[in-house]
Each structure stands twice: as C-alpha cells, then as structure tokens.
Amino acid sequence: MTGLDHIVARHATAEAFARFGTVYDLDGGRDEKVVWTDGNSWRDGFTHKPLISGSGHLGMTSGAAAPWRCAEMERHLGTEEAIFCAGAPVVLAVAPASAAPAPRRDEIEAFIVSPGQAVVMDRGVWHDACRGLTQPTAYFWMAICGLGASPWVPVEGGPLLVLADAGQGAIA
C-alpha cells in the first residue's frame, strides 16, 4: 500500500480494486461480468448490469502525466463513478470510503486503468483526477451529476507522490 514518501501504481484487477469498486475487462474476452458476442470479423462485449446505478452523465477530463503529488481528493456520496480510457492508460489514485472528513495519506492506493477496462468506484470512495500513464491524457467518466457539491479536500497527512512505475524519480 503506502510507503513513506510515495506509492507505485499497479494494474487494476478485480481482486486488487475490490475494496474500492468493480473492474470490467471489455477487451480480454474472459470477464464473466461481461456479455460477449461475435460477428463477421468483430467481437462485442457489454456489462451484464448497468455500469452505474441511475441515469449517469458522461464526462471527459484531461490530466497531466504521472508522476504527481496527490494533495487533495473528492468523493461522491450519492453516486458511483465509472472511469474509462479515451485511448491511452491512466493512473487513478483512490482512498477507501469512510465517514472521515478527509482521505488519509496512508490509505491511498493507485491503479493503472488500461484501454478496454472500466473501473467503477463505489459511493463515497475518495479519488483524485486521473493522470496519464506516460503522457498527458484524456479519459471518460460517468456519474450522476447535480446531486450537490463534491468538494476537493486536502489529504490528511499531506501530499503523497504517485508514481506510474518504480523507476520514476521525484517531481518538483
């Protein structure tokens, strides 16, 4: 989980991400949470159940590249939020849902979300905006909007450096 001064993102898998939500693999053809169909030189997959509960809004965010200092996070108590790539992998930093007024630095984890995957954060999971794995990158998100403010809150314990791989150095 958290080292003294940084964390290293790991690939989002169903097992690794379970305490924060659900991972769907729409590219590999083996996810049992996905319905698969084949056609004339194409393959299709869609989630067995709706991606989020309720009628979600589709949004897009553009983020700088990793590494970065995760200094503040937001959470959504009234909706799940799905994250999926627009074309290149992104890094998502999260902290568990809690009744606490701020995310705790020692509970932050980071995950690489690859094209073909969707991750759905449970209600109340703290998260930062995603950053590109190797370059500035845009990504899509889906959530129910208009449910009230989701303020950005400083991380309890101070900022934490998020690295996309163990070989990355510190940033200014």
Side-chain angles (χ1 to χ4, degrees), residues 3 25 36-37 51 65 75 89 91 97 99 103 117 119 140 143 145 155 172:
D25 181 4
W36 299 101
T37 58
L51 194 57
R75 65 179 168 182
V91 179
Q117 285 187 310
V119 298
F140 292 104
C145 297
V155 171

Side-chain angles (χ1 to χ4, degrees), residues 16-172:
F17 197 75
R19 74 185 262 199
F20 305 105
T22 305
V23 174
Y24 294 94
D25 181 4
L26 294 156
D27 192 33
R30 293 179 292 279
D31 191 332
E32 294 176 1
K33 299 179 301 294
V34 176
V35 175
W36 299 101
T37 58
D38 291 304
N40 183 11
S41 71
W42 57 267
R43 179 155 198 171
D44 183 65
F46 64 93
T47 60
H48 272 286
K49 66 177 193 158
L51 194 57
I52 65 169
S53 299
S55 297
H57 298 83
L58 180 62
M60 180 179 246
T61 300
S62 295
W68 82 96
R69 293 193 193 292
C70 179
E72 58 185 10
M73 296 180 134
E74 69 169 346
R75 65 179 168 182
H76 309 289
L77 299 175
T79 184
E80 300 149 308
E81 182 174 349
I83 302 285
F84 40 102
C85 302
V90 295
V91 179
L92 169 64
V94 292
S98 71
R104 290 183 32 192
R105 182 181 195 267
D106 64 343
E107 293 185 330
I108 296 173
E109 295 185 46
F111 296 92
I112 299 166
V113 182
S114 298
Q117 285 187 310
V119 298
V120 181
M121 293 177 282
D122 293 335
R123 286 176 175 82
V125 168
W126 292 98
H127 63 281
D128 197 348
C130 295
R131 305 315 199 275
L133 180 65
T134 61
Q135 63 191 22
T137 303
Y139 63 95
F140 292 104
W141 54 266
M142 179 179 280
I144 300 172
C145 297
L147 299 176
S150 297
W152 287 88
V153 177
V155 171
E156 181 183 306
L160 179 64
L161 181 62
V162 179
L163 305 176
D165 69 60
Q168 286 184 316
I171 60 174

